[in-house]
Amino acid sequence: LQLDRTETAVNNLNPAFAKKFIVDYHFEEVQKLKFALFDQDKSSTQLYEHDFLGEFSCTLGTIVSSKKITRTLLLGNGKPAGKGMITIAAQELSDNRVITLSMAGRKLDKKHPIVTASLCSHLQVIKYTLDPVWKPFTVPLVSLCDGDMEKLIKVVCYDYDSDGGHDFIGEFQTSVARLCEAQDASPLELECINPKKQKKKKNYKNSGIIIVKSCKITRDFSFLDYILGGCQLMFTVGIDFTASNGNPQEPSSLHYINPLGTNEYLSAIWAVGQIIQDYDSDKMFPALGFGAQLPPDWKVSHEFAINFNPRNPFCSGVEGIVQAYSACLPHIRFYGPTNFSPIINHVARFAAQATQQETASQYFILLIITDGVISDMDETRHAVVQASKLPMSIIIVGVGNADFAAMEFLDGDSRVLHSYTGEEAVRDIVQFVPFRNFRNVPKETLAKAVLAELPQQVVQYFKHQNLPPINSEPA
């Protein structure tokens, strides 16, 4: 499927194309792109009639996470196409500005005034005064004026009635550009006019004054803003090697690798990892196991590197995780219990170190894949509550057909999670998905479900910390 084409740059070996390709961005999908360059010698629109200069393939996530990339152009056989290079830059086109207004009234005609701007649904009622002071309110700039600072908007003032039949006081038209002239030291005063009264009364001046005390435009930063700003998603995998999984050499085991080279653990790793790996520049990911006895002393460990290198538990890309997982299976003994807290605390320590930078530069994602009931529920609840204060999210994928009620409990969609000490989680950071619901659907569907809440969790954390994207531009 061809998305679009640039214009033709005539007699130029270093063209900077003006044409922009507009692509809908979906974080939870692998969006593959191919860029191909041709030397146009004819007027034909058929590409095969022009000289092929080279191509470059990547995912949209790779471009977004880097914001700007330069790569070598390749021939169809994968070899370099001479010295040709291609540079691709990404930018967000959506308008995420918001406007915050602080307004008051003076000598309004009625006693229960409410004020509203066209397309603004935020109404405030101030009772028993002709000189109201409304609380500041914020609305998206796109909703208010389609993002056009000069577009006229209508501001209307009513006298509130509890039955909904509000009485019209007056109105005026203005623009966001005009409203932005208001400052704390120099408020903007606008006459509230009732056209009917204006026509009937010769000495009519106004039905009161609306005072714009302050007007401020800021950006409501999105997940894409943080990624384009340079935030890295730091991915860690935690794998359940408890005895309830069964002997990995037997087909009944959840760790049995079938002739197609997969199982539910590998499917979950691939589904999540292939998305996340685009957002980490070095693509080196820690992979940890829990619930197994390790050689040579066969002690149980709930926090071990599956590559058996505790000083360097990192694997190169998702392929590296898969290789380390397959290689470790014959060398460990499945045991128990199913303890989550050691791995959660392991990742939380690194997330805590990232907070010392005081920038939106890193966010940690722990994927736990498990088959059974959590043994250390109190400790896990406490670990999750503490982690909710950090740049960190936890994704739990339940494999097999066990009772996953405890996992649902940790996922705070319908309730606030509490520690055994009574402390509340600052925010919901857990997403639980049972793999059995996605066995007969494309792996892309699993990825969407698993990663559905992650962008919101990332934005929520950095907003709570008042941290803008690293390279954000002023509104």
Side-chain angles (χ1 to χ4, degrees):
L1 176 64
Q2 184 179 123
L3 177 66
D4 210 340
R5 297 185 185 186
T6 67
E7 73 280 10
T8 299
V10 180
N11 298 327
N12 189 346
L13 297 181
N14 299 289
F17 299 106
K19 172 75 176 184
K20 291 182 172 67
F21 297 156
I22 299 176
V23 183
D24 291 332
Y25 168 72
H26 304 285
F27 162 72
E28 70 281 7
E29 296 179 14
V30 177
Q31 295 174 268
K32 296 180 180 180
L33 299 173
K34 178 185 286 186
F35 300 86
L37 275 74
F38 296 84
D39 179 23
Q40 181 175 341
D41 292 325
K42 305 175 183 179
S43 60
S44 173
T45 60
Q46 300 299 320
L47 292 177
Y48 65 82
E49 295 194 24
H50 306 292
D51 295 330
F52 176 64
L53 299 179
E55 63 186 20
F56 167 66
S57 298
C58 66
T59 63
L60 181 56
T62 299
I63 301 171
V64 167
S65 64
S66 303
K67 195 170 185 178
K68 184 177 182 179
I69 61 174
T70 299
R71 297 289 189 272
T72 301
L73 286 171
L74 303 176
L75 297 173
N77 58 11
K79 294 182 179 180
K83 296 181 179 179
M85 307 286 287
I86 185 172
T87 298
I88 307 162
Q91 68 179 109
E92 186 175 12
L93 296 181
S94 60
D95 190 339
N96 56 11
R97 292 173 295 173
V98 295
I99 181 170
T100 302
L101 289 164
S102 180
M103 304 175 73
R106 185 171 70 240
K107 296 182 179 179
L108 296 174
D109 281 355
K110 305 289 183 177
K111 291 186 177 180
H112 303 145
I114 58 177
V115 66
T116 175
S118 58
L119 301 178
C120 172
S121 61
H122 195 99
L123 301 175
Q124 296 177 25
V125 180
I126 308 295
K127 294 186 176 182
Y128 312 119
T129 178
L130 300 180
D131 302 309
V133 178
W134 291 283
K135 294 179 181 179
F137 60 93
T138 300
V139 293
L141 201 61
V142 169
S143 297
L144 188 63
C145 61
D146 295 327
D148 183 352
M149 302 278 284
E150 302 296 336
K151 182 177 181 178
L152 288 179
I153 57 175
K154 182 185 288 186
V155 179
V156 187
C157 191
Y158 294 93
D159 177 38
Y160 173 80
D161 285 327
S162 58
D163 62 2
H166 312 315
D167 297 323
F168 177 72
I169 295 176
E171 66 186 21
F172 60 88
Q173 286 191 330
T174 185
S175 67
V176 172
R178 178 88 167 103
L179 294 175
C180 285
E181 295 176 9
Q183 302 295 332
D184 291 334
S186 180
L188 178 66
E189 297 191 358
L190 299 162
E191 290 185 313
C192 198
I193 303 297
N194 186 322
K196 290 184 179 180
K197 288 186 177 182
Q198 192 177 42
K199 287 182 179 180
K200 290 180 180 180
K201 298 181 179 180
K202 291 183 178 179
N203 296 327
Y204 177 83
K205 290 185 178 180
N206 57 57
S207 295
I209 301 295
I210 298 295
I211 304 166
V212 184
K213 299 168 65 177
S214 67
C215 174
K216 186 177 182 182
I217 295 178
T218 55
R219 291 194 182 278
D220 187 18
F221 294 115
S222 66
F223 173 74
L224 189 52
D225 285 318
Y226 284 103
I227 296 300
L228 288 171
C231 181
Q232 298 277 299
L233 302 184
M234 316 302 289
F235 181 47
T236 300
V237 176
I239 302 174
D240 181 347
F241 290 112
T242 55
S244 56
N245 283 277
N247 185 339
Q249 295 181 351
E250 298 178 1
S252 59
S253 171
L254 290 167
H255 281 290
Y256 176 75
I257 299 177
N258 63 34
L260 296 177
T262 189
N263 58 33
E264 292 189 1
Y265 279 90
L266 287 171
S267 295
I269 292 171
W270 275 114
V272 179
Q274 67 176 347
I275 304 288
I276 299 295
Q277 68 176 352
D278 285 342
Y279 300 88
D280 186 338
S281 57
D282 66 6
K283 293 179 172 46
M284 297 297 293
F285 308 118
L288 308 174
F290 60 92
Q293 294 177 318
L294 305 183
D297 53 11
W298 303 108
K299 289 184 178 179
V300 178
S301 175
H302 299 289
E303 183 189 348
F304 66 92
I306 66 172
N307 65 359
F308 300 113
N309 187 349
R311 294 185 178 181
N312 184 16
F314 295 90
C315 302
S316 180
V318 182
E319 294 86 352
I321 297 175
V322 170
Q323 291 171 4
Y325 165 78
S326 301
C328 84
L329 286 174
H331 301 289
I332 60 175
R333 294 175 183 170
F334 289 16
Y335 204 71
T338 306
N339 292 348
F340 278 15
S341 61
I343 282 184
I344 294 174
N345 291 328
H346 176 101
V347 176
R349 286 193 292 271
F350 290 94
Q353 292 175 10
T355 62
Q356 299 177 14
Q357 300 178 28
E358 297 184 349
T359 59
S361 58
Q362 290 182 323
Y363 192 92
F364 291 77
I365 299 157
L366 171 60
L367 169 64
I368 299 177
I369 314 172
T370 183
D371 83 310
V373 178
I374 302 173
S375 304
D376 62 339
M377 191 59 181
D378 284 347
E379 291 80 2
T380 294
R381 284 167 50 202
H382 185 73
V384 171
V385 168
Q386 298 308 310
S388 71
K389 307 170 188 176
L390 302 172
M392 177 175 169
S393 289
I394 302 168
I395 298 167
I396 304 174
V397 175
V399 297
N401 298 308
D403 179 3
F404 293 123
M407 316 298 178
E408 299 280 6
F409 180 82
L410 292 176
D411 191 335
D413 287 342
S414 59
R415 70 182 71 83
V416 177
L417 184 68
H418 290 78
S419 169
Y420 62 82
T421 63
E423 183 179 2
E424 286 188 356
V426 175
R427 57 197 179 92
D428 174 23
I429 65 168
V430 176
Q431 171 76 335
F432 168 70
V433 173
F435 188 93
R436 59 184 173 232
N437 293 353
F438 300 89
R439 281 178 182 148
N440 300 314
V441 299
K443 61 182 178 182
E444 292 80 5
T445 306
L446 172 62
K448 287 182 180 181
V450 169
L451 298 171
E453 296 180 5
L454 183 61
Q456 178 185 350
Q457 291 173 357
V458 172
V459 172
Q460 186 183 42
Y461 172 78
F462 288 126
K463 279 187 177 181
H464 187 265
Q465 300 299 316
N466 293 318
L467 293 174
I470 300 171
N471 299 319
S472 61
E473 299 175 358

